[in-house]
Amino acid sequence: MKKIILSYILSLGLLNAAYLNKDVAIIYNKKQIGSAKMLSEVNIIKENKDSYLLSLKAFVSDDYQEEMLKAPNKNEVLANFWDKNENATYKTEKNPYLKIIKEVEDEYAELWYEVSIEFEAKKSDVVNTNETLLKEAKALYEQSCSACHRLHSPDSFTINQWPSNIDSMIGLNYVDLSKEEKAMIIKYLQTNAKDAKGE
């Protein structure tokens, strides 16, 4: 019954926004060309038996198109274009996998593109809200990062500052995090960073 209701809602276009609950490989011609990141907001385009066809919208710099960012000049990565060995999956300056929606100029007169990419994900990798994942990430942050010092409020730093702050704590061996735990904590902190409001 739930499947029928979900299919009906999708056909009406009412349930469009969703979130990834893990990193999802972006496959093109049966090869991994990149990865869409956990907690990235996506749009469901089509429902298949065990998967969804998704669309991810973000921004890329005119001269660096290996990462899709949530906003120009804010290093919140929604997807990257590397294979599983972290080699770039294209050789030119323009990323051939992206559809350009429009050009955008930032406050420094740098050229950015709003872009989109379509890819498939298992239904189990997609959730309709990010609340549960953000609560888990908050609990992990509080548990991992309060042992050595007073816990910083997420709005103490900017979207661009949080990744390097976490990296420095890991580098100094103050905290030991798996790749997934680190990604979850950073995503939670960036979602609530002082410059994240209104995005």
Side-chain angles (χ1 to χ4, degrees):
M1 183 67 170
K2 282 184 182 178
K3 258 186 173 177
I4 294 169
I5 293 170
L6 181 60
S7 295
Y8 178 71
I9 291 171
L10 281 171
S11 71
L12 294 176
L14 298 177
L15 180 61
N16 215 9
Y19 297 86
L20 300 176
N21 64 13
K22 63 184 275 189
D23 287 1
V24 173
I26 300 173
I27 307 295
Y28 183 78
N29 287 339
K30 299 183 181 178
K31 274 181 58 178
Q32 180 175 349
I33 60 161
S35 178
K37 299 303 175 189
M38 174 178 43
L39 282 165
S40 293
E41 185 174 352
V42 293
N43 287 316
I44 299 172
I45 298 171
K46 181 181 173 189
E47 180 180 14
N48 301 312
K49 182 180 177 195
D50 298 316
S51 65
Y52 292 119
L53 178 62
L54 304 173
S55 174
L56 173 65
K57 273 200 214 175
F59 294 86
V60 294
S61 169
D62 178 47
D63 58 355
Y64 184 76
Q65 297 188 4
E66 288 182 17
E67 293 180 332
M68 293 175 71
L69 304 180
K70 188 173 182 179
N73 285 325
K74 294 192 178 172
N75 196 24
E76 185 175 352
V77 179
L78 303 185
N80 58 29
F81 293 90
W82 305 316
D83 65 19
K84 59 186 174 191
N85 298 317
E86 298 193 8
N87 299 310
T89 54
Y90 64 95
K91 305 296 181 207
T92 62
E93 288 184 16
K94 302 298 179 203
N95 188 329
Y97 307 111
L98 300 175
K99 177 184 172 190
I100 295 175
I101 299 168
K102 66 179 178 181
E103 291 184 6
V104 178
E105 197 172 280
D106 68 16
E107 64 268 24
Y108 306 107
E110 299 283 334
L111 181 61
W112 291 77
Y113 298 105
E114 183 178 10
V115 296
S116 68
I117 189 165
E118 292 181 5
F119 60 98
E120 283 204 32
K122 295 177 189 172
K123 287 184 176 181
S124 60
D125 297 340
V126 179
V127 293
N128 64 358
T129 178
N130 63 0
E131 289 176 21
T132 301
L133 286 169
L134 288 174
K135 282 180 188 173
E136 289 173 19
K138 180 182 184 214
L140 182 61
Y141 169 63
E142 291 171 347
Q143 174 190 347
S144 302
C145 299
S146 63
C148 300
H149 59 77
R150 176 186 62 81
L151 202 61
H152 293 286
S153 170
D155 63 1
S156 299
F157 298 103
T158 66
I159 288 170
N160 292 347
Q161 291 170 327
W162 272 120
S164 59
N165 288 347
I166 298 299
D167 283 339
S168 69
M169 294 296 107
I170 292 170
L172 294 168
N173 293 318
Y174 289 148
V175 65
D176 184 28
L177 299 170
S178 70
K179 184 179 175 183
E180 292 77 19
E181 290 171 332
K182 175 185 168 186
M184 247 179 123
I185 288 173
I186 288 173
K187 195 67 166 178
Y188 161 72
L189 294 169
Q190 289 182 318
T191 299
N192 296 285
K194 69 176 158 186
D195 58 343
K197 308 303 178 231
E199 292 198 356

